[in-house]
């Protein structure tokens, strides 16, 4: 059973969430907060798995709530779905690893998609608790999705769908099995955000997702190349060969 807390200063908004959650038997509502202070106390005592959190609240905003909780509950931090009438906080929400961002008024289909994503996320954490405690050099958890703007849209790409990442001058190209996206980012910065137990830099200009690696094979010039499951070959430089040897020896 997934335990959830609802946090919103509007009674009707909490009623709507509670009503919608009745059709999802895996989620049990264990408390409701009408203020940020009430919400912080509830999460500290009930230790829910999931928090539906409004951003604009009377005493402090949802990001302040996350900040206070991060200081006190540590690894017991619940997964968060933001609920708000404002779209301008979406990028900031995903930068702090929110599972989803429900923009009011949201549809039943959109609510179902968000809760299913949260359920899967929480199940994954229960199966692999290390994924929750893994942190980047700056102390933030490794990112679970890449958020970026493309053609006027905000896209949320789970890192599990990334096959490999290549450098292209001042950009990186993120490649999935069916598409690729060009982001203005450096290889070093994006490497720092990714869990090194899953993503491995094999060349100055390429990072591979180990989930998609089929084999490592020697090339004619004496170097090695990484072959992905779709048959694509990614060059591996001698500088980074020790990394993949270390991974193969684990």
């Amino acid at each position: 059973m997934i335990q959830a807390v609802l946090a919103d200063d509007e009674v009707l908004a909490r009623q709507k969430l509670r009503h919608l959650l009745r059709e999802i038997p895996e989620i049990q509502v264990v408390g409701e907060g009408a203020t940020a202070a009430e919400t912080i106390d509830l999460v500290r005592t009930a230790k829910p798995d999931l928090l539906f959190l409004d951003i604009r609240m009377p005493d402090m905003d949802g990001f302040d709530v996350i900040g206070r909780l991060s200081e006190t509950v540590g690894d017991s931090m619940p997964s968060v779905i933001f609920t708000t009438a404002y779209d301008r906080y979406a990028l900031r929400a995903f930068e702090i690893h929110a599972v989803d961002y429900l923009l009011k008024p949201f549809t039943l289909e959109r609510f179902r998609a968000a809760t299913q994503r949260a359920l899967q996320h929480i199940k994954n954490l229960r199966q692999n608790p290390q994924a929750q405690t893994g942190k980047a050099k700056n102390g933030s958890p490794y990112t679970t999705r890449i958020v970026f703007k493309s053609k006027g849209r905000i896209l949320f790409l789970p890192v599990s769908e990334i096959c490999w990442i290549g450098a292209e001058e001042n950009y990186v190209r993120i490649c999935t099995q069916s598409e690729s996206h060009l982001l203005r980012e450096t290889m070093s910065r994006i490497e720092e955000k990714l869990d090194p137990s899953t993503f491995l830099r094999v060349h100055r200009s390429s990072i591979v997702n180990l989930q998609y690696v089929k084999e490592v094979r020697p090339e004619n010039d004496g170097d090695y190349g990484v072959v992905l499951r779709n048959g694509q070959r990614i060059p591996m430089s001698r500088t980074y060969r020790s990394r993949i040897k270390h991974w193969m020896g684990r």
Side-chain angles (χ1 to χ4, degrees):
M1 180 66 72
I2 303 297
Q3 296 188 326
V5 162
L6 314 181
D8 200 306
D9 60 318
E10 298 178 11
V11 175
L12 291 178
R14 299 200 305 275
Q15 287 178 344
K16 179 180 179 180
L17 286 172
R18 199 165 55 243
H19 175 73
L20 292 173
L21 285 169
R22 286 177 185 159
E23 72 163 54
I24 304 176
E26 300 102 316
I27 298 180
Q28 176 190 23
V29 177
V30 295
E32 298 182 18
T35 67
E38 283 183 7
T39 302
I40 291 169
D41 287 342
L42 260 175
V43 173
R44 285 172 175 165
T45 55
K47 295 182 171 53
D49 307 286
L50 180 60
L51 173 61
F52 290 87
L53 180 60
D54 188 15
I55 290 183
R56 298 288 292 272
M57 301 179 79
D59 43 352
M60 63 181 81
D61 69 27
F63 296 105
D64 292 331
V65 171
I66 297 298
R68 294 286 183 87
L69 290 174
S70 298
E71 295 171 358
T72 55
V73 302
D75 293 339
S76 298
M77 188 75 182
S79 299
V80 176
I81 295 178
F82 279 110
T83 60
T84 178
Y86 304 91
D87 62 0
R88 61 178 177 271
Y89 303 110
L91 284 177
R92 186 179 175 192
F94 284 101
E95 285 175 356
I96 62 168
H97 308 286
V99 173
D100 213 324
Y101 190 92
L102 284 173
L103 189 62
K104 301 174 184 175
F106 47 81
T107 64
L108 175 60
E109 288 72 22
R110 184 69 186 85
F111 179 79
R112 284 172 175 164
T115 51
Q116 288 306 310
R117 183 173 294 116
L119 286 173
Q120 188 59 53
H121 177 72
I122 292 166
K123 288 175 183 175
N124 290 343
L125 290 178
R126 287 179 174 178
Q127 291 172 357
N128 182 19
Q130 289 181 336
Q132 190 174 27
T133 57
K135 293 183 178 180
K137 290 180 180 178
N138 62 5
S140 300
Y142 291 118
T143 191
T144 57
R145 64 178 62 192
I146 303 292
V147 183
F148 54 95
K149 290 184 177 179
S150 176
K151 299 178 182 177
R153 301 171 299 162
I154 299 175
L155 300 180
F156 309 101
L157 177 65
V159 297
S160 60
E161 295 182 9
I162 298 173
C163 297
W164 72 285
I165 300 169
E168 294 190 16
E169 297 183 346
N170 295 323
Y171 295 81
V172 296
R173 183 170 294 280
I174 296 181
C175 303
T176 70
Q177 296 196 81
S178 58
E179 57 188 2
S180 69
H181 306 278
L182 202 59
L183 276 65
R184 189 171 181 85
E185 182 62 281
T186 67
M187 290 292 280
S188 297
R189 285 186 56 184
I190 202 162
E191 183 183 18
E192 288 178 358
K193 298 176 184 177
L194 299 170
D195 187 344
S197 67
T198 303
F199 287 88
L200 188 68
R201 192 160 184 176
V202 296
H203 191 278
R204 178 172 53 86
S205 58
S206 25
I207 297 170
V208 297
N209 183 340
L210 297 169
Q211 308 288 335
Y212 293 90
V213 172
K214 178 184 176 184
E215 61 182 272
V216 176
R217 65 170 62 168
E219 304 288 357
N220 294 332
D221 58 4
D223 279 338
Y224 282 76
V226 176
V227 182
L228 303 183
R229 283 189 280 171
N230 63 2
Q232 186 168 6
R233 302 175 73 162
I234 310 296
M236 182 175 67
S237 68
R238 295 180 182 180
T239 306
Y240 294 94
R241 192 183 300 175
S242 60
R243 293 190 180 192
I244 206 159
K245 281 185 176 178
H246 175 73
W247 170 67
M248 293 168 66
R250 290 187 306 177

